[in-house]
Amino acid sequence: MASQLAYKARIASTSSLEKIFNAQEMIASSRIAKARNVALAAKPYSDAIFDAVQALAQHTHISHPIVRKDEDNPRVAVLALTADRGMAGAYTSSIIRETESLLAKLDDKGKKPELYVYGRRGVTYYKYRGRDVRGTWEGNSDAPGVEVAEEISKALLDAYMKPADEGGVSELYVVFTEFVNMVVQKVRILRMLPVEIVSAEDEQTEGTNVPEAQPLYSFEPSRDEVLDRVLPKYVQSRIHECLLTSAASETASRQNAMHTATDNARNLIDELTRKLNATRQAAITQELTEIIGSADALNNEKE
C-alpha cells in the first residue's frame, strides 16, 4: 500500500492539473460564442460566391481551369487544417487520420498528392515522420484572420494555375472540421477545385420532370476575364470559411475535452483522498494495536 506522503503528493499534483484544466475550459467557454458567430457569419458570403462560380462555370467552355485542368497531371494538392495548441481532445488526430486516408486513396488512384498543412500540431506531426510538406502555416488556429486566408489561398491558387511541366496541380482538396454544434464537429473533405458543375436536371424540383428556369448571363468584358477575377475570390472565401469553422470546432473540442479532464481530475482526487484516509486509519489502528500489545506485555511481566 502506498504511503500517506505518496498519496498527498499525488493529490497535490492532480489538484494543480485540475486547476489548469478548469482554467482552459473557462477560456474556451468565453471564446466559443464569438468563434461560432464569426463562422456562421462567413458562410452566406462563401455560399453566394460558390453559387456565382457554379453559375458562371455552367456558361463557360469546358477547358477553363475553374472547370477542368489537364487530366494527364497526376499531382493533387491537399490542405489539412489542424490546431496550433493541444488540449483539444481528438481534434487534430481526427484531421490527421482523415488526411492520411485521403492521401492513401489518391495514391491508389495513381495520383501524386502534395501536402499543405496549417497548424503547429499538424506541422510537427509530419515533420517528425519525415513527410514531405510543400507548404506550412502556423499561428492563431483558434482565431484565424483574413491575412492567413489570403496567404494560403494565394499559394494554393498559384500551384493550381501552374502548368504541369512547372509543378502545377490538377486538383485541390481541403480537410477540415465542420462545426455543427457544441457537441458535434465533423471532419470533412472538400474538393475545392475544379468546381463540380451541377446540371439543371440535378436541380429540378423533386417529384417533377420540369427543370427550374436558368438565368441568362451577359459577360463583360469577356467570359474568361470574369472567371479569372472571380476565381481568386472564390478560393479565398472558401478557405477562410474552412478556417473559421475549424476554429469554432477547435474551441468547442477544447472546451469539451477540458470539461471531461476536469471531472476526471476531481474524481481522481476523491478516490485518492479515500485511499489516504484509509491508509491513515490503518496506520492509527496499527499504532493503537502496538500500544495495547505493549501494555499487555508489561502487565504480564509485572504479574
Side-chain angles (χ1 to χ4, degrees), residues 46-222:
S46 178
D47 291 343
I49 288 286
F50 175 72
D51 292 340
V53 168
Q54 192 175 71
L56 290 171
Q58 290 179 1
H59 293 79
T60 189
H61 50 80
I62 203 67
S63 62
H64 194 277
I66 201 171
V67 179
R68 174 180 294 178
K69 279 295 296 284
D70 185 5
E71 295 182 351
D72 295 332
N73 183 7
R75 281 188 291 272
V76 176
V78 176
L79 171 64
L81 303 182
T82 65
D84 280 326
R85 299 187 295 116
M87 293 186 173
Y91 174 80
T92 295
S93 60
S94 298
I95 289 288
I96 291 176
R97 190 184 309 112
E98 196 67 29
T99 302
E100 291 294 329
S101 176
L102 175 60
L103 295 176
K105 291 178 181 177
L106 292 172
D107 285 332
D108 293 340
K109 294 179 179 179
K111 302 288 186 178
K112 295 180 180 179
E114 297 185 348
L115 187 60
Y116 296 79
V117 182
Y118 173 71
R120 189 174 298 112
R121 305 286 290 186
V123 172
T124 302
Y125 174 87
Y126 285 109
K127 282 186 177 180
Y128 178 76
R129 284 157 180 78
R131 174 85 190 197
D132 185 22
V133 180
R134 186 156 180 189
T136 61
W137 298 270
E138 300 178 17
N140 298 327
S141 65
D142 55 350
V146 180
E147 297 80 10
V148 68
E150 291 178 350
E151 187 177 346
I152 295 173
S153 62
K154 184 179 184 305
L156 294 176
L157 188 57
D158 288 346
Y160 182 76
M161 297 303 292
K162 283 182 180 179
D165 55 0
E166 296 181 11
V169 299
S170 60
E171 293 179 274
L172 171 57
Y173 292 87
V174 180
V175 185
F176 68 103
T177 307
E178 180 185 12
F179 179 85
V180 179
N181 53 49
M182 284 299 301
V183 180
V184 180
Q185 298 89 39
K186 295 182 179 180
V187 179
R188 286 192 54 198
I189 298 176
L190 171 65
R191 197 190 81 161
M192 189 172 298
L193 290 172
V195 174
E196 183 179 1
I197 300 178
V198 179
S199 63
E201 288 77 9
D202 296 331
E203 294 183 337
Q204 58 185 267
T205 306
E206 185 178 358
T208 67
N209 294 323
V210 180
E212 295 181 355
Q214 298 296 313
L216 298 176
Y217 288 88
S218 176
F219 298 92
E220 293 291 343
S222 69

Side-chain angles (χ1 to χ4, degrees), residues 16-54:
S16 299
L17 290 175
E18 185 266 336
K19 292 177 182 178
I20 295 173
F21 297 152
N22 189 40
Q24 291 288 337
E25 179 187 357
M26 294 177 64
I27 293 172
S29 299
S30 65
R31 294 178 176 177
I32 184 60
K34 180 180 179 180
R36 178 184 57 200
N37 293 337
V38 170
L40 293 176
K43 186 173 177 57
Y45 175 76
S46 178
D47 291 343
I49 288 286
F50 175 72
D51 292 340
V53 168
Q54 192 175 71

Side-chain angles (χ1 to χ4, degrees), residues 283-299:
I284 294 173
T285 303
Q286 183 177 357
E287 290 178 1
L288 290 174
T289 302
E290 292 175 353
I291 293 172
I292 294 172
S294 299
D296 290 340
L298 291 174
N299 291 333

Side-chain angles (χ1 to χ4, degrees), residues 233-254:
K233 296 183 179 296
Y234 161 73
V235 174
Q236 180 182 333
S237 65
R238 296 286 279 181
I239 289 179
H240 193 207
E241 181 195 2
C242 292
L243 288 172
L244 293 177
T245 188
S246 295
S249 300
E250 179 186 345
T251 305
S253 297
R254 181 168 291 112

